Amino acid sequence: MINFNTTYLDLPTDFYVRNNPEKLSHPSLLLFNEALAEHELSLNIGTSSHEELAYFFSGQNLSKSAPCISLAYAGHQFGYFVPQLGDGRAHLLGEVLNAQGMRFDIQLKGSGQTAFSRGGDGKSALGPVLREYIVSEAMHYLGVPTSRALAAVQTGEFVQRETLLPGAILARVAASHLRIGTFEYFANRKDLPSLKLLFEYSVKRHYPELIGKNDIYLVFLLKVLHSHAKMLASWMSLGFIHGVMNTDNMSISGQTLDYGPCAFIDNFAFDRVFSSIDHAGRYAYNNQIFIAKWNFSQLASCFIPFIHSNEKIAIGILQEFLEAHFSCFEEKWMEAMGKKLGFFKVDKNVEQVIHNWLLYLQEENLDFTMSFRDIIDRPKNFKRTPLFQLFESSWHTCLQQQPQSIKQSQDLMKSVNPLFIPRNHQIQRAIDLASKGDFTVVNDLIQVAKKPFNEQVDYLKYSIPPKKEERVISTFCGT
Ligand code: AMP
Ligand code: MG
């Protein structure tokens, strides 16, 4: 059905293990992303039946020439280093090239135990699969670099969590599944030849234009740093909280990867946390940029042996590099937030406007997404507290100082402030109904997510913030 062209198989065998997805007798297709398959991946799905797709995207229909593999990686989980994690419940079906020559991984998640399962069952429940499908697709249409959802398949079996839950598999697509943790895996083993191979592979796959460049290690790090700063800026500007920013969940490509207990903020608070396992708030909203830098520092430290034979000198060079470039995270974040309030450029005054606005949202417990829409169309609706007045007067002053017209600022705001995000309470409702076989809300959420900035009148109910009693306070990993 698909012609795989899997370059990861050319790497030495300690980069991955070959193992096949679990055999299933009755997989059934729940969701299939035809637009992604045909237009972006150029897959030749043709007239395949739902049954064929279900078998294929649960790994039941493997060709001998393209074996499935699970990738090795390590990672810092909540700050603690684990030397071996790896794909414990994922199988790479293979890599594909689209019509434009772009390379993608197609990976199954929840497809059974692997050599890296460490006692886990290798499976996924239906809920987390639907959550990742809905949120990753929404993120794509919101303009966030992300893995995509290609298919969701019900396994027909049950998985044991707190209760017995229906099992499912997600087929997802990513520019690659190389992670910071992949580098940490070989660096920790002091396996320099493999680390070098991994580096060369990553350059070739993601930044081929760097081949032959001077200072290629630092230039590569700079590319990754910029891509992470861009990703973080888009998360922050949408009120998105990833929830598990462990280094094994941070891609080298700069795509958002591994959606777990993620959520979009509704009523705003700087220190908002949703994940039920994040007791200390390590991955809270306002900690995400700090953590991204911390994670990136772990990647940079893997490069010590490449930078200089003297470790002290190498560390000095890397520290200087980080100090010189880390401000890029704040710059990109402020740029993105500035646009949300109509600013084409950001200076210290604009930063203060942004800060006061967020303080006001927090103080009044207001919905993050809706407030950015209302401030364009219904500014009179906001409670005129002293903080609001301070914000409003400096906002107007700064807007008027721009060369662009107010109309241009408003257009800019409308183009970056979504009306529709996949709201936590709607996702929960979608999952609850789907568990009973009703996919109406799942399908609605996927549909509405395709045009998040447009007023889709038939779907307006999905833009409404939760009532107090509907608020989702906590989200679960589901592993
Ligand atoms: P995550 O927090 O989902 O990114 O997973 C962290 C690590 O645990 C990865 O190595 C996963 O492959 C592994 N893992 C998560 N859930 C399971 C599971 N149900 N069975 C086996 N391994 C798992
Ligand atoms: Mg992970």
Side-chain angles (χ1 to χ4, degrees):
M1 184 186 284
I2 296 177
N3 287 327
F4 288 116
N5 175 320
T6 307
T7 54
Y8 217 77
L9 286 168
D10 301 334
L11 290 165
T13 49
D14 47 355
F15 279 67
Y16 57 85
V17 289
R18 288 179 184 224
N19 43 205
N20 285 340
E22 195 171 289
K23 284 270 162 250
L24 301 170
S25 44
H26 294 296
S28 58
L29 190 71
L30 296 173
L31 300 165
F32 184 64
N33 193 340
E34 217 173 301
L36 174 65
E38 295 198 350
H39 305 313
E40 295 185 49
L41 301 177
S42 323
L43 298 184
N44 190 10
I45 300 294
T47 52
S48 305
S49 66
H50 279 196
E51 197 182 4
E52 284 168 324
L53 291 171
Y55 272 79
F56 193 83
F57 290 112
S58 59
Q60 306 300 303
N61 212 353
L62 301 171
S63 85
K64 290 209 171 55
S65 57
C68 274
I69 55 175
S70 300
L71 276 48
Y73 53 85
H76 277 88
Q77 297 191 305
F78 289 90
Y80 295 99
F81 186 65
V82 185
Q84 180 164 310
L85 288 165
D87 290 331
R89 53 167 173 166
H91 295 84
L92 181 73
L93 275 183
E95 297 161 27
V96 292
L97 287 171
N98 73 2
Q100 292 75 41
M102 290 161 76
R103 182 174 294 281
F104 298 92
D105 276 4
I106 302 183
Q107 192 205 52
L108 305 181
K109 184 171 171 184
S111 39
Q113 283 179 318
T114 77
F116 301 115
S117 294
R118 298 174 299 144
D121 62 3
K123 298 181 180 173
S124 282
L126 175 66
V129 165
L130 295 177
R131 176 183 290 274
E132 176 156 350
Y133 196 113
I134 293 165
V135 179
S136 64
E137 281 306 292
M139 293 280 271
H140 169 71
Y141 289 104
L142 286 161
V144 185
T146 179
S147 64
R148 303 278 310 269
L150 179 59
V153 175
Q154 185 142 5
T155 60
E157 297 178 347
F158 285 87
V159 296
Q160 182 70 53
R161 295 295 181 258
E162 295 84 38
T163 54
L164 272 186
L165 298 168
I169 294 173
L170 179 75
R172 64 177 180 182
V173 174
S176 83
H177 285 85
L178 298 168
R179 303 151 191 268
I180 291 181
T182 322
F183 280 84
E184 289 178 294
Y185 182 77
F186 293 109
N188 173 255
R189 294 171 157 218
K190 307 213 181 311
D191 180 353
L192 277 191
S194 296
L195 194 60
K196 188 134 193 293
L197 272 180
L198 175 64
F199 173 73
E200 284 162 0
Y201 181 85
S202 306
V203 170
K204 204 166 159 195
R205 184 133 181 202
H206 294 300
Y207 305 107
E209 69 277 15
L210 302 188
I211 294 170
K213 282 246 155 70
N214 288 338
D215 291 332
I216 188 166
Y217 297 109
L218 289 181
V219 185
F220 173 82
L221 283 174
L222 190 58
K223 288 270 188 193
V224 179
L225 188 144
H226 278 154
S227 73
H228 284 194
K230 181 169 176 248
M231 175 175 81
L232 262 290
S234 44
W235 291 3
M236 297 296 285
S237 71
L238 291 163
F240 175 78
I241 304 177
H242 181 281
V244 210
M245 287 177 71
N246 295 334
T247 54
D248 51 298
N249 292 336
M250 300 296 288
S251 72
I252 293 300
S253 69
Q255 286 186 329
T256 312
L257 211 61
D258 282 7
Y259 291 82
C262 58
F264 288 83
I265 288 185
D266 23 54
N267 51 316
F268 181 69
F270 282 103
D271 60 355
R272 175 68 76 234
V273 175
F274 286 98
S275 167
S276 60
I277 55 169
D278 189 3
H279 305 296
R282 181 179 170 87
Y283 300 137
Y285 173 77
N286 62 346
N287 228 19
Q288 295 192 115
I289 284 189
F290 167 75
I291 290 293
K293 291 180 185 176
W294 190 91
N295 287 341
F296 189 84
S297 306
Q298 305 310 313
L299 176 66
S301 74
C302 297
F303 281 58
I304 291 170
F306 297 149
I307 300 292
H308 201 283
S309 53
N310 180 320
E311 192 177 292
K312 260 197 174 156
I313 298 177
I315 291 173
I317 293 172
L318 284 169
Q319 271 172 347
E320 214 174 283
F321 169 87
L322 297 181
E323 274 163 32
H325 296 291
F326 263 169
S327 58
C328 163
F329 278 91
E330 278 82 10
E331 282 159 20
K332 287 213 182 334
W333 175 38
M334 283 296 113
E335 226 174 78
M337 294 302 287
K339 284 187 185 154
K340 286 172 79 73
L341 286 172
F343 295 108
F344 291 84
K345 264 195 179 153
V346 172
D347 60 17
K348 288 278 165 243
N349 293 335
V350 170
E351 281 182 18
Q352 193 57 51
V353 171
I354 296 166
H355 189 66
N356 285 343
W357 169 245
L358 292 177
L359 272 181
Y360 171 73
L361 296 187
Q362 172 169 267
E363 195 174 88
E364 295 302 314
N365 210 16
L366 292 179
D367 185 78
F368 184 85
T369 304
M370 205 43 105
S371 297
F372 279 98
R373 296 285 292 204
D374 285 347
I375 196 68
I376 314 175
D377 295 328
R378 288 171 286 275
K380 296 262 177 306
N381 284 6
F382 288 93
K383 196 163 139 197
R384 309 190 67 77
T385 65
L387 190 51
F388 183 81
Q389 286 169 354
L390 177 68
F391 153 74
E392 196 183 37
S393 64
S394 55
W395 182 44
H396 286 165
T397 309
C398 287
L399 283 179
Q400 275 151 13
Q401 282 165 355
Q402 296 196 117
Q404 290 83 0
S405 67
I406 296 297
K407 167 84 174 57
Q408 283 172 310
S409 285
Q410 284 175 341
D411 290 346
L412 175 65
M413 289 174 72
K414 285 199 171 141
S415 72
V416 295
N417 289 319
L419 181 56
F420 298 98
I421 48 155
R423 292 184 173 274
N424 309 324
H425 66 300
Q426 297 291 6
I427 295 178
Q428 199 48 55
R429 206 162 70 88
I431 291 171
D432 292 344
L433 286 172
S435 307
K436 296 178 198 143
D438 177 357
F439 275 71
T440 326
V441 180
V442 170
N443 288 323
D444 279 359
L445 289 179
I446 293 170
Q447 190 56 33
V448 76
K450 289 180 184 167
K451 291 186 176 153
F453 303 99
N454 294 10
E455 290 212 13
Q456 305 172 65
V457 284
D458 293 341
Y459 292 104
L460 279 181
K461 63 181 174 189
Y462 293 109
S463 70
I464 299 170
K467 297 194 191 93
K468 208 164 178 192
E469 64 277 12
E470 289 175 327
R471 274 182 202 151
V472 173
I473 308 297
S474 193
T475 50
F476 300 88
C477 243
T479 48

